[in-house]
Amino acid sequence: QMRKMGASRDSIEQYLDNLLSSGPDATLPFWARSKRLARFSRRARMASLRRTLDITTPPPSESEDESDSTAADASQQRRRRRAFMALLRALESEERGMDGRVPSIVSLEKKATQDLKEDSANLRNRLPEGLETPEYEVLSRRDSIQKSIEIRRYKPYSTCAVSMDKPRPTNSSNTDAKVQMPDIGGASSFGALAGYLFGKNDKSTAMKMTTPVFTSTISDENGKQMEFVLPSEYWNANSLSEAPQPLSGSGVTLQQKESEERAVLLFGGYASKKEVEKRKKELAAALSKDLEWKEGEEAPTVAQYNDPFTVPWRRVNEVSIKVVKK
């Protein structure tokens, strides 16, 4: 609402900081930590909000320098604001389905705590509705209590891609979309791809948003790249040539993905560097014991399906790697 009224970014951040300092981040009495009191006490409900906010706050991005305490504190506050906004959205949605007998934050904290315990069916239900995503056939599943792994055969599809390591050009406003949170990791790459997809291309054509967002390491020389999936009308080699072309200087390229088999590990929460590395090791360990499939010669890819304001217990991500028959 403040954005619609033309409020500056600084004033919005100050408003959120005031809400945080007087609300979930305020000093609370020790007894407020009792979950049983949350149905009856406002301060106990505020403690419930704090616990849920702690769950919701994302970890630092890999580009942040945590050795600089001032920068680290500023980063923590930015991530806290982002989480608070996401949590307020989740609370609004929660209140619409409540009958008033249980406070919405109490219900939401319970759901958040339960859903953080990953379940394969629960993870698959977190995919956004109404967005196109690459088509595949599940050849087999390796589900367990701790992890959910699928062997998939993907059909051909196409992407737009941009380097995550090269600096954006000085005139990038001509090619890139403005992002709501420029401080998060990969924001400039996201803006470059969103700019292309939403109309900053040679045909000035806006295309449908798709999912997921892929990030992968191409090689030691070329570094990391980010990819958006193109709409399905451009998924074969002939139709890709008819797709809107990226503007000169944007750094965006169009890529055709051929049919292939991939091992995919699903996980929830935020796809932080630490979490991704952990999941890559889990996938590699599972494949080392698999009787049918082994890793191909390619670095793993990370897929993130949800928008940045989706709370972590409703997010689904994947790490995947190309596999071949043993």
Side-chain angles (χ1 to χ4, degrees), residues 15 19 183 229 273 309:
Y15 178 70
L19 288 177
D183 301 313
V229 179
K273 181 180 180 181
F309 285 106

Side-chain angles (χ1 to χ4, degrees), residues 220-258:
D220 292 338
E221 295 79 20
N222 296 324
K224 292 176 66 177
Q225 76 169 8
M226 180 181 289
E227 297 173 82
F228 283 7
V229 179
L230 291 182
S232 57
E233 57 260 40
Y234 305 120
W235 282 2
N236 64 60
N238 293 332
S239 61
L240 182 59
S241 63
E242 300 172 2
Q245 295 301 302
L247 296 177
S248 176
S250 69
V252 175
T253 60
L254 304 185
Q255 300 182 3
Q256 175 72 41
K257 305 291 183 177
E258 302 300 333

Side-chain angles (χ1 to χ4, degrees), residues 2-3 7-17 81:
M2 290 180 71
R3 285 198 185 97
S8 68
R9 181 179 174 183
D10 288 344
S11 62
I12 294 174
E13 289 181 351
Q14 185 60 56
Y15 178 70
L16 289 171
D17 287 344
R81 292 188 208 107

Side-chain angles (χ1 to χ4, degrees), residues 46-213:
M46 196 60 69
S48 177
L49 179 61
R50 177 188 293 175
R51 289 190 295 269
T52 313
L53 182 59
D54 290 342
I55 294 173
T56 310
T57 302
S61 69
E62 58 186 274
S63 62
E64 293 177 17
D65 182 7
E66 296 185 72
S67 63
D68 184 338
S69 59
T70 302
D73 288 345
S75 168
Q76 166 68 11
Q77 192 62 19
R78 284 195 299 270
R79 289 182 279 111
R80 197 76 167 167
R81 292 188 208 107
R82 170 188 167 190
F84 191 43
M85 292 173 66
L87 187 52
L88 290 176
R89 285 176 54 180
L91 275 170
E92 181 184 19
S93 175
E94 189 71 17
E95 285 177 351
R96 287 198 292 266
M98 297 295 292
D99 58 11
R101 289 180 293 179
V102 179
S104 56
I105 184 57
V106 174
S107 173
L108 191 63
E109 181 187 10
K110 183 178 181 180
K111 288 181 180 179
T113 304
Q114 290 175 339
D115 287 351
L116 281 175
K117 300 172 184 176
E118 295 178 357
D119 169 82
S120 57
N122 179 287
L123 287 172
R124 294 183 182 100
N125 288 335
R126 298 181 190 181
L127 293 170
E129 295 182 357
L131 298 181
E132 284 190 318
T133 191
E135 297 176 354
Y136 58 84
E137 173 189 2
V138 177
L139 302 180
S140 59
R141 285 197 170 102
R142 312 287 197 268
D143 285 352
S144 68
I145 295 175
Q146 294 180 320
K147 52 185 169 284
S148 176
I149 296 175
E150 296 178 343
I151 304 297
R152 300 175 181 172
R153 176 174 292 135
Y154 277 88
K155 296 180 180 179
Y157 65 97
S158 302
T159 67
C160 54
V162 71
S163 169
M164 298 182 70
D165 296 324
K166 297 178 182 177
R168 299 301 300 153
T170 54
N171 61 343
S172 61
S173 60
N174 297 329
T175 58
D176 297 7
K178 187 176 180 180
V179 293
Q180 290 187 12
M181 294 179 292
D183 301 313
I184 64 173
S188 61
S189 303
F190 190 98
L193 297 177
Y196 164 76
L197 201 67
F198 297 150
K200 291 186 176 182
N201 49 61
D202 71 337
K203 296 181 181 179
S204 298
T205 299
M207 291 168 272
K208 297 178 292 186
M209 190 61 189
T210 57
T211 193
V213 175

